[in-house]
Each structure stands twice: as C-alpha cells, then as structure tokens.
Amino acid sequence: MAIENNNPLEQQKNPDQNGSNGDATNASTRRRKKPRRDGKGSNTKTNNPTTTKSGKSSGRRGGKGQAGTDNQALSTAVDPNLAASDAADDAAAMAEGGIKAVGNQRIIPFMKIEKPMALLSLFMVIGSIIAIAVNGLNLGLDFTGGVSADIRYEQPVEQVAVVQALADNGFDDAVVQYLGTREELLVRLPPQSDNVDGLNTDLTQALALPNNTATISNVNIIGSQVGNEIYLNSVMALVLALVSMLGYVALRFQFKLSLGAVLSLFHDAVVTIGVFALFGFPFDLTVLAAVLALIGYSLNDTIVVYDRIRENFRRVRGITPEQTIDLSLTETLRRTIMTISTVLLVVLAMLFLGGEGLYWFSVALFIGLLAGTYSSTYIASSIPLRMGLSRDDFIVKVKPEFEEEIVTFNDPKMFEQDNV
C-alpha cells in the first residue's frame, strides 16, 4: 500500500480507491476508434486506461501468475467494430479504383487512362509535324530580314496610330514596340530598298503624326543571310537543350526516366510550334524564347514528379510499379495545380495587358504550359513504366565480392554425443 500511496500517477488515475470506477468508465469511452497514425502499438493497450489500471491492480493483489494471465488475455483482445471499419474502408477504396496505401491515402488511378492519352499525344505530335511541313512557319523579321528603326516622338503615342500611319504610306506589316516609355518605339518592317538615306526620308514622312513629330535615331537593315543564320542557330539551341536535359536526368536519376523526360519536352515544343504553324501566327525570336522557357518549366515539373517516384520506389513496398507511379502523381498533384495556377495568372496578365510586344510571347507560353502540365503527368511517367521501371532501378545492390559468406561446421562428434 505504501507504493501505491506514493505514486502520483496512480493517485491521479484512481482518486477513489474504494471501488469507484467512474473515471475508468469515462476513459473507456474516449478510446480511439481508428488505428494510430504511426502504426505503433496496440489501441487496446495504449489508448484504454481501464485495461492498464486493471493490469496493475491484478499484478499487486493477485500475484504474478494472475497478472500474466490477465495481460495475455488483454493483448489478444480485438475490437470487432475496428476490424469491420477497416474492411469497409478497403472495400470502398477498391470500389473507387484506388488502393489503400500509406497513411490511408486514396490514390488517383492516373495510369488507367494511359493508353488513350498516349494515342492523343501521338495524334497531336503527328498533326503538328504535318502542319509545320505543309503550312510552314510565319517567320518574323528576325528570321527573314528587314528593317529595324528606333523612333522617338515629342509626345506619347499609341502603337495602333503608328501602325496605321505606316500602312497609309505603303509600309505594310509593320511591328511597333515600346522601348521603356510611350515616346520611344522600335519599328520593324519587311525588307525594303538598300538606300538608307531615301528610307530615312520616307519613314520620317510616314511616321509624322498631327502635332507630334518623329525623329529617327537609328536604322538597321537586316539581310536575309543573317536571318537564315539566326534560324539555324535557333534550331541548334533547341536540339542542344534537349540533349543537355537527357544527360542531366540520366545522371541524376535513371536512363529510363531521362528518355521519358526528353520525349515529353519534345512533345511540348513540337505541339507549341505546330499550333503557330496551323493558325499562321507570327514566329519570331520572342516566341522562340517562350519555347525555350517552356522546356525549362516542363523539366522542373517533371523533376519534382521523378524525385517522388524514386522516393516511393525505395520507401513503399508491396505495391506494383503502376501503383507506385499513381501514388507519386497523387502526392504531387496539389503542388502541380498550385504552380500552374500562379504561372497562368502571370501569363494571362501579360497576354491582355502586356501590349503588342508581349502578345505572341504570352500566347506561346499559354499553349506550352497546358501541354507541359499534361506531358509531365502522362508522357514523362508512362514511358518509363512501359520500359520496365521497377524498384530494382533505384536500390543499391551489393556486389558479389562484398557479400558475406555463411560458413557452417559439421562436427561428427557432436552428432555422436547427441545420440548417446
């Protein structure tokens, strides 16, 4: 009795030692109905103070034998309601098409529609290549050559007014951009005569607006040869970017994943350029810069998915590779939605408020963002899966020369002693 009186925990749990079990009844109603999140221990033992108290009292009053019998009986007790609820959760998860995995997380079965999405991607890539081959690209002045002039007005001017004034004087297809302020503009024109002096005079007359004179500070004539060099350098830049991405992902992750990443990046670039070829949108250096930016954005999104795939292959066991990829895509879905939403807000702001200079750049980004999000989910993940991606690709295997040998000694005398 002295031990029980000096134990504050027993006094707190059992303030009334004359048989009052009101607190024990209240404690038993607060027991957990679901498994612990960390999966450690038994709910019957850790979350029920009544069983713990009864085990202690039986150990003191009834002796060690009685305590051992009571503890054994309590450890084998199973709550039928808990087992029924777990079975119902498993059945509901399988009915929804997912599985019940780590932390009771429902997995979205992305790979169930993998084949239809693969056919859709193949159709879009083939259609884009046909559009590029048949229609061609509506190349801008950066690729075809032309005239570039820096103009300064005395008062702020609108781009539409400058374009209309040039068209009225025979300078069609002009591109006008602001250079920091509304008084300074950059005017681009198709190839004109090589006579710079006569071109300056004609442009000065064409750019004159009512009560607002224009001054031409610089005129550059870009030849067609320079435009062809820029075009070839642009194609080489795209190819070099894709090859560099292939090497990076192969060294950082695995070759199967790198091939899926590069094919998804190729899909994004071809689809974006194919849309410009199909509808005849102007393709200049700003659009090319948008395509290169899309390659970097799409690779960043793909790397996040690949990192989670590698982690889950090492961490989660007992599920198929397809379910592992579904789990990884489900865990990164929230991050993907938040990223694409914030980037699209900026792109839409540039599209509607950025003016003529950023319009086609924003259009290319908008098309590429949609294609990049789709390709990171399906193309970049489904291609490695079809190539046989498994857990063996991410675990470190011990070389045979470093494995420990198990040596057993069979002494005949030991068997003779056992027989005697």
Side-chain angles (χ1 to χ4, degrees):
M1 294 298 293
I3 296 176
E4 293 182 356
N5 291 332
N6 293 331
N7 192 345
L9 294 177
E10 287 293 333
Q11 292 178 3
Q12 184 178 358
K13 291 182 178 179
N14 304 322
D16 186 5
Q17 299 182 5
N18 296 325
S20 175
N21 56 357
D23 293 340
T25 304
N26 295 332
S28 63
T29 59
R30 294 194 300 269
R31 62 176 301 183
R32 297 173 63 91
K33 295 182 180 180
K34 294 183 178 180
R36 293 171 60 86
R37 292 185 178 180
D38 54 3
K40 298 179 180 179
S42 174
N43 294 327
T44 308
K45 291 182 180 181
T46 57
N47 298 321
N48 195 346
T50 308
T51 58
T52 306
K53 184 185 72 172
S54 61
K56 290 182 179 180
S57 61
S58 62
R60 294 189 184 96
R61 298 176 185 177
K64 295 182 179 179
Q66 182 67 24
T69 305
D70 293 341
N71 290 333
Q72 185 177 2
L74 289 174
S75 62
T76 56
V78 179
D79 190 355
N81 296 328
L82 180 60
S85 62
D86 289 341
D89 291 341
D90 292 338
M94 296 304 295
E96 294 174 2
I99 64 171
K100 188 175 180 181
V102 181
N104 296 333
Q105 182 179 1
R106 296 294 187 272
I107 298 179
I108 302 176
F110 288 97
M111 294 295 107
K112 273 196 171 182
I113 56 175
E114 172 194 5
K115 293 182 179 179
M117 291 299 178
L119 294 176
L120 177 62
S121 301
L122 185 62
F123 174 76
M124 289 192 298
V125 170
I126 294 176
S128 299
I129 294 175
I130 293 175
I132 295 173
V134 174
N135 297 341
L137 292 174
N138 183 14
L139 299 177
L141 301 179
D142 299 319
F143 300 109
T144 60
V147 177
S148 174
D150 297 333
I151 312 299
R152 182 175 181 83
Y153 282 90
E154 294 181 353
Q155 300 177 4
V157 66
E158 296 293 334
Q159 292 177 332
V160 179
V162 176
V163 173
Q164 185 63 39
L166 290 171
D168 294 340
N169 290 272
F171 295 98
D172 298 327
D173 300 329
V175 178
V176 179
Q177 299 177 357
Y178 287 120
L179 294 177
T181 63
R182 297 174 64 87
E183 293 86 3
E184 298 179 358
L185 295 92
L186 174 64
V187 177
R188 296 181 179 181
L189 299 171
Q192 306 291 326
S193 62
D194 296 335
N195 187 0
V196 179
D197 295 334
L199 184 62
N200 281 335
T201 303
D202 295 338
L203 282 177
T204 302
Q205 296 176 356
L207 293 171
L209 298 177
N211 301 324
N212 195 0
T213 58
T215 302
I216 301 177
S217 58
N218 187 19
V219 175
N220 295 320
I221 298 177
I222 303 174
S224 59
Q225 184 177 359
V226 177
N228 292 331
E229 292 179 358
I230 295 176
Y231 182 79
L232 293 177
N233 291 334
S234 302
V235 175
M236 292 298 298
L238 286 174
V239 174
L240 182 61
L242 293 177
V243 174
S244 301
M245 301 303 178
L246 176 66
Y248 166 73
V249 180
L251 293 175
R252 183 68 176 83
F253 293 93
Q254 216 271 342
F255 178 75
K256 297 176 183 178
L257 295 179
S258 65
L259 188 60
V262 170
L263 289 178
S264 67
L265 296 179
F266 176 78
H267 166 271
D268 301 339
V270 169
V271 169
T272 304
I273 297 174
V275 171
F276 272 74
L278 180 63
F279 295 99
F281 297 154
F283 191 90
D284 53 10
L285 286 180
T286 58
V287 178
L288 178 64
V291 174
L292 293 175
L294 287 171
I295 292 177
Y297 170 82
S298 181
L299 181 68
N300 177 55
D301 197 14
T302 303
I303 289 299
V304 172
V305 177
Y306 281 177
D307 186 68
R308 187 57 59 90
I309 289 175
R310 179 179 58 181
E311 178 184 351
N312 287 333
F313 266 115
R314 294 175 176 176
R315 178 176 59 95
V316 183
R317 300 184 182 182
I319 59 178
T320 62
E322 181 177 352
Q323 293 171 341
T324 303
I325 292 179
D326 286 338
L327 174 63
S328 304
L329 293 174
T330 303
E331 291 176 346
T332 57
L333 180 61
R334 180 179 299 178
R335 182 260 178 199
T336 302
I337 293 175
M338 293 177 62
T339 304
I340 188 64
S341 300
T342 53
V343 176
L344 279 179
L345 287 177
V346 178
V347 171
L348 291 176
M350 291 191 300
L351 183 64
F352 294 104
L353 304 176
E356 184 68 23
L358 295 176
Y359 182 78
W360 296 115
F361 176 81
S362 304
V363 171
L365 279 179
F366 181 80
I367 299 171
L369 284 174
L370 299 180
T373 304
Y374 157 78
S375 65
S376 298
T377 304
Y378 284 100
I379 299 177
S381 301
S382 61
I383 290 178
L385 180 63
R386 293 306 165 193
M387 294 178 63
L389 189 69
S390 63
R391 186 173 181 270
D392 295 335
D393 296 325
F394 300 99
I395 61 175
V396 179
K397 297 181 180 180
V398 180
K399 296 182 179 180
E401 57 267 22
F402 294 105
E403 293 182 354
E404 297 182 357
E405 296 182 0
I406 301 175
V407 182
T408 58
F409 297 93
N410 296 327
D411 191 358
K413 295 181 179 181
M414 296 177 58
F415 296 99
E416 295 178 358
Q417 294 177 358
D418 294 339
N419 294 331
V420 174

